[in-house]
Amino acid sequence: MRVTPVVKDLVLIGGGHAHVHVLKSFGMKPMPGLRITLIARDVETPYSGMLPGFIAGHYTREDCHIDLRPLARFAGARLIHDEAVGLDLAQRRVACRGRPPIAYDVVSIDIGSTPHLGSIPGAAEHATPVKPIDRLAERWERIMERVRHSKALVRFLTVGGGAAGVELTLSMRHRLRGLLQERGQDPDRVSFTLVTREEILTSHNASVRRWFRDLLGLRGVGVVEQNAVERVDEASVLCSNGDRIGFDELIWVTQAGAASWLVDTGLELDEGGFIKIDATLRALSDPYVFAAGDVASNVEHPRPKAGVFAVRQGPPLAANLRRALAGEAALPFVPQRKFLSLISTGDRCAVASRGRLAAQGATLWHLKDWIDRRWMRNYKELPQMAPAAASGADDPLRALQADPMRCGGCGAKVGAAGLARVMARLEPRGDPSVQIGLGAPDDAAVVSPPQGKLLVQTVDFFRALIDDPYLFGRIAANHALGDIYAMGAEPLTALATATVPYGLEDKVEEELYQMLRGGLDVLEEAGAVLVGGHSGEGAELALGFTINGAVDPDRVLRKSGMRVGDRLILTKPLGTGALFAAEMRGKAKGAWIDRALSVMQQPSREAARCIREASASASTDVTGFGLLGHLIEMLRASRVDAALFLDAVPALDGALETLAEGISSSLAPENLRQRRAILNLDAAAGMPTYPLLFDPQTAGGLLASVPQSNVVECIAELHRLGYTQAAVVGQVLEMRASEPCITIVEAAEIPTRGRSAAVAEVA
Ligand SMILES: Cc1cc2nc3c(=O)[nH]c(=O)nc-3n(C[C@H](O)[C@H](O)[C@H](O)COP(=O)(O)OP(=O)(O)OC[C@H]3O[C@@H](n4cnc5c(N)ncnc54)[C@H](O)[C@@H]3O)c2cc1C
């Protein structure tokens, strides 16, 4: 929870080599009043120095990626998993691909570079660029699959003769020949050629070039130098000398290019499209913009595009961002001229190159391995930090820009002017049924209820579980809509209740706008109209919606309709409670949280339609009480018992690992009390999915009872609609006592004799 009001916004675009240091530095020494936002296209940022080792099979994917989520949490930074696609220098906003622009006081860009394919006809269609590395990693898995199963020769062609191109070619050769030999197949079923417009390794000395030429020759890699690729067709490239070189896999490792969106920013760029910066790492054309790594072109100290320079820019960048935010002058940084390159040869050997120095051997590979792993550890093994104390006299931001904070009374409302500005930016859509709404705000909204329908009303409100206000808004709206869909209804109108942390007026406004924008986008996608609400300041970001829906009187789905013999269907996997508890401790992998966030944003509308078409007899949405708590509510209301297929209960990635580590939501102990309803607790308690039963869900799925005859079709349809983990998790049984009870059925019993038989035996 934030302890000091937001006074300034620092936005970091890209999780590059310099920015990971900036994040760590602000985690080690926070700047009270500063809100840091990291916009990252990939939540796990690759360390390209280890990429050849990953391709060669010396490293796992995890070894060569930094998980930005725990690092951002360590820095107290918000992580926005999205791609920046533009900059509004005048308004100081970053445009993103999938959400509203993000405001900044100071922005720093470290987004690296990507090989330029666009300039060669056919390259974009037929070549695999080395960057973005995540896409190469995915493609590499498919390439290995292809080599494993192909009976014919697979020809690899690498375009680009720099260190990266040479390293990757030798690494691919090492791995694929090894893979074929392991399978007792002919390793010569893969061949390798490298083509380059100049000589290979032009930025390295003659000895290094000679060594690699000999080595490539020795290993049967064809090398075509001084020959540019001019066009790429489906299975061959045309070179400047008219030669054609055939390929089955084309890997593109040419010179780095800049992201195309930079052209429209108005920033001064060099001929390659890279951002011109001065010695303080500040953009020449805008004092509020900094840049580092490949994307930057240092006009005072030009250097080649290499990770080592991006790494070394980390500390001066962090220091200059602090100075800029405190209104102090940024200081110049002079990068080293030469650097030691350790170029791996596919096996665990490497060639060292620096100026005229050249050396080779296995020791050098182990040196490179040691250097790379040590660097990675800096950003993977993060120290436990004491929570930041409220700022004192040494708080440069407070001294600079103190703004009288608001009192707590008068409902702590967000100011009228600010609210009006937020509403104006939101532009909520109207609806003929809304007589009085946000179009002409009044003390209350006036809505005409639909003829012949029943009104369904629900309310939800909760504190933010993530610090991305837009995404939180989307999740809060989806969570509230879950109740409407569980009742078989369609949403009509909504009222928002929002709390934003204290801060400067424009910061509060921006946070409120982002959060409401997220909620509104989901409500309008669901066909609902925002007609009003209440916004106030408070200690934490929180949001809730009161939603009115409509349902045909004969189509109301209740908790109390379950029929004996029905099957229980759960539409979404469980685990959000534990995962976000782990995330708060910096113990959840970014990929897990990303998956959970995408499931939480999945509306239950189609699932509700699907279970209704499968003649569901009852349903509810699984939220705070956990699966067991919500099931017991249904059983109690329906006066029935149930069998639960515990091992069939779907879990989100990482949820079981997290629970096994003893991390659970603060609500779980309360939910655990419901376990009394389980008859065979001993059998259940030992199963890995048991703790999931008590895990509170946010924007969870639907739990419905569906006639057995419709189950297979219903599950198939749910999977087709994108509820890929929807599953049958139980069966409704006759009630045997005054209170509902649940029997856990063991997995082993189910397949052979069929579920009903196993259950009948237990019943
Ligand atoms: C195969 C290979 C091997 C290499 N080996 C070495 C080596 O051994 N030593 C060396 O010094 N250099 C090496 N390099 C060069 C080195 O990779 C680059 O110079 C280095 O990665 C640049 O670092 P960076 O911080 O600028 O960007 P990157 O490391 O590329 O990081 C950029 C980050 O920004 C994110 N991003 C990109 N666009 C956006 C966007 N629009 N919005 C939000 N986020 C975005 C990406 O997801 C990524 O996380 C190698 C390069 C390759 C391809």
Side-chain angles (χ1 to χ4, degrees), residues 397-457:
L397 291 182
R398 182 172 300 286
L400 257 180
Q401 300 227 1
D403 186 306
M405 292 298 133
R406 290 171 172 62
C407 62
C410 52
K413 283 175 72 89
V414 171
L419 200 54
R421 281 190 294 269
V422 168
M423 286 303 146
R425 282 173 69 194
L426 284 172
E427 297 172 338
R429 75 176 178 82
D431 186 89
S433 65
V434 178
Q435 312 296 327
I436 301 176
L438 287 170
D442 209 310
D443 291 333
V446 177
V447 179
S448 337
Q451 293 295 322
K453 302 249 183 189
L454 295 177
L455 210 56
V456 177
Q457 300 186 307

Side-chain angles (χ1 to χ4, degrees), residues 13-18 39-42 45-46 48-49 51-52 82-84 110-113 130-131 164 167-168 253 261 292-295 305-308 310 339 342 368:
I13 306 178
H17 294 51
I39 304 172
R41 183 193 56 207
D42 309 302
T45 190
S48 36
L51 177 69
D82 201 340
E83 194 171 352
D110 180 5
I111 57 170
S113 57
V130 66
K131 284 194 170 183
E167 264 189 312
L168 272 181
V253 202
W261 59 270
D294 282 8
V295 75
K305 307 285 179 197
V308 62
F339 64 99
L342 292 166
K368 176 174 169 50

